[in-house]
Amino acid sequence: MKYTILLFILTISCGYSQVGNTFEEGAELQTGTISNPFIRASTNSTGEIEGSEFLNEEWEQATVIDLNINKKVRLLARFNAYTKEIELLKEKSIIALIPAKGVSVMLGGKTFVPAKLKNSTHPIFVEQLVAGPNGLYKHYDAKIVQAASDATLLNLENKDKIVITEKLYYGDADGIQKLPSKKKSMESILAPEILKAAKKEKLSFKKEADLIRIFGMQ
């Protein structure tokens, strides 16, 4: 995959020239310029990078709810796990949705909301699994796995790869942090009655579906 501005232009002009967005009258979403980083291949690579930084490269119909202006807007969007941005396609231009409070995006069967990582002042978009003062979130990241320096010698594919990772976080929009991996640490962040109910229902702290049920009890 080539990560150049040319690719973005070709994608827009060739693939989506006949697909329209629907903006409610008077809706002015807070948007800015996309980060659009140029992902360079390492010196060990053949010059190509395998994989994608998007959860889905194809533009999908999304619904953006902005409580700041009391508007709901339908348009084409995609999530960039490398920059943690929601990219919007508007009038053949790609722009980034500002992760401001009161904004949520329903995209590809997921709900994305702004949140700040602990010890960070810069909000990003994360997937919201459970809302609330002690909610549950999924943080996506895109890592570059460089080709091995001796790949050719070992007859291995000498391409860099983009791998998207997922980690669970908890907290609220003002600050989320990584979900503890140890049971005792998990017990320290949940109320006794929640722990009792989870034990009664034999819910596991290791399974995402069970964690969603546990955090949903709050």
Side-chain angles (χ1 to χ4, degrees):
M1 176 181 177
K2 305 296 184 181
Y3 298 88
T4 62
I5 295 176
L6 177 60
L7 175 62
F8 287 128
I9 295 173
L10 289 175
T11 301
I12 297 168
S13 61
C14 298
Y16 301 95
S17 58
Q18 296 182 357
V19 181
N21 298 322
T22 302
F23 288 84
E24 287 192 2
E25 186 178 353
E28 291 293 337
L29 297 175
Q30 299 181 63
T31 60
T33 306
I34 60 170
S35 299
N36 191 25
F38 184 81
I39 304 176
R40 298 180 181 278
S42 69
T43 54
N44 301 329
S45 172
T46 56
E48 295 183 6
I49 301 177
E50 189 177 274
S52 172
E53 73 270 39
F54 299 101
L55 290 188
N56 185 358
E57 278 195 39
E58 301 294 326
W59 295 99
E60 298 178 87
Q61 194 71 242
T63 299
V64 180
I65 298 174
D66 191 339
L67 299 179
N68 301 299
I69 57 175
N70 294 317
K71 294 290 184 180
K72 181 186 291 186
V73 183
R74 294 181 68 241
L75 70 175
L76 297 176
R78 62 186 179 185
F79 179 75
N80 188 322
Y82 192 75
T83 62
K84 321 298 186 296
E85 291 176 338
I86 298 288
E87 297 184 2
L88 308 176
L89 182 61
K90 181 182 179 183
E91 298 173 357
K92 298 186 179 180
S93 295
I94 300 177
I95 54 179
L97 181 65
I98 301 298
K101 276 190 175 182
V103 171
S104 62
V105 183
M106 288 177 281
L107 171 65
K110 307 177 189 299
T111 298
F112 292 92
V113 296
K116 294 178 183 177
L117 300 183
K118 188 179 180 182
N119 300 324
S120 173
T121 57
H122 179 65
I124 59 173
F125 278 106
V126 295
E127 183 186 356
Q128 179 179 269
L129 300 177
V130 178
N134 197 25
L136 186 65
Y137 304 87
K138 184 177 290 186
H139 174 272
Y140 293 95
D141 195 14
K143 301 291 186 182
I144 311 299
V145 179
Q146 295 185 355
S149 57
D150 53 356
T152 302
L153 181 64
L154 297 175
N155 198 29
L156 299 174
E157 190 174 37
N158 56 342
K159 291 182 181 179
D160 290 348
K161 295 182 179 180
I162 296 179
V163 177
I164 294 179
T165 61
E166 306 173 359
K167 291 181 181 178
L168 295 180
Y169 279 62
Y170 76 99
D172 57 29
D174 291 323
I176 62 174
Q177 55 187 308
K178 197 179 300 183
L179 199 68
S181 57
K182 295 182 179 179
K183 184 178 179 181
K184 278 195 173 295
S185 298
M186 279 291 300
E187 291 175 345
S188 68
I189 66 175
L190 295 169
E193 60 270 21
I194 301 296
L195 295 172
K196 186 177 180 180
K199 184 177 181 180
K200 183 178 180 181
E201 296 186 31
K202 297 181 180 179
L203 299 177
S204 170
F205 291 139
K206 299 293 183 181
K207 298 178 180 179
E208 182 178 311
D210 285 0
L211 283 167
I212 290 175
R213 289 182 61 188
I214 292 170
F215 276 77
M217 294 175 181
Q218 302 180 87

